[in-house]
């Protein structure tokens, strides 16, 4: 019975320690604690690309760009489509003055981000729901004004969709 209790307490202690290192690795504002926490996570799981990335970011904040690049290299080797690792490695290369490699990495990060698909730049607004009016009011509530339809991407908008103040500025 005592053995089971000791084994259970050991498991709980190790999972609590792992949770603490995860918190240090992912959320600590102190770079040294982040490095220690990520190192512990990497020791537990050597294929954790995010831990390598976070440790590289901590090294980068400290100005140790060689260690940062090494960790970004490992994160990219483990997860070749991890765009933030390419972007951060490019920033580290730029900090060292290696602009050719920096541009290459930042370009690769942009390509990977584009592959994943960007969020639309324009979001259609939903018209507000009409407020419930009390029966004591004798004036009816007008319906909500129609919203202007956004032009299709790649097609020129027609002049009637411009506000009057904007049309005056656009006249040649």
């Amino acid at each position: 019975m005592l053995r089971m209790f000791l084994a259970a307490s050991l498991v709980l202690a190790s999972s609590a320690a792992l949770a603490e290192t995860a918190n240090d690795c992912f959320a600590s504002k102190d770079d040294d604690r982040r490095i220690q926490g990520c190192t512990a996570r990497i020791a537990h799981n050597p294929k954790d690309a995010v831990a390598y990335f976070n440790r590289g970011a901590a090294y980068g904040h400290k100005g140790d760009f060689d260690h940062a690049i090494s960790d970004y290299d490992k994160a990219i080797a483990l997860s070749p489509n991890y765009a933030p690792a390419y972007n951060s490695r490019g920033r580290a290369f730029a900090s060292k003055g290696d602009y050719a490699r920096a541009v290459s990495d930042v370009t690769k990060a942009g390509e990977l981000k584009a592959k994943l698909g960007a969020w639309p730049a324009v979001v259609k607004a939903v018209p507000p729901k009409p407020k419930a009016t009390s029966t004591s009011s004798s004036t009816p509530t007008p319906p909500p004004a129609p919203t202007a339809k956004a032009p299709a991407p790649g097609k020129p908008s027609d002049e009637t969709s411009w506000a009057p103040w904007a049309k005056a500025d656009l006249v040649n």
Side-chain angles (χ1 to χ4, degrees), residues 68-165:
I69 290 169
S70 174
D71 278 346
Y72 295 140
D73 288 342
K74 187 67 174 172
I76 290 167
L78 292 170
S79 182
N81 292 328
Y82 192 31
Y86 283 99
N87 189 48
S88 294
R89 187 174 70 175
R91 290 175 41 203
F93 279 134
S95 296
K96 288 183 65 173
D98 190 348
Y99 299 112
R101 291 170 79 182
V103 169
S104 173
D105 275 354
V106 172
T107 302
K108 176 74 173 178
E111 291 168 356
L112 289 171
K113 178 108 172 127
K115 263 189 198 177
L116 297 175
W119 289 94
V122 177
V123 178
K124 252 187 182 177
V126 177
K129 293 181 181 179
K131 293 181 181 178
T133 57
S134 63
T135 55
S136 63
S137 175
S138 62
T139 58
T141 306
T147 58
K149 187 175 178 182
K155 293 185 178 179
S157 63
D158 94 48
E159 261 189 41
T160 59
S161 65
W162 289 90
W165 61 268

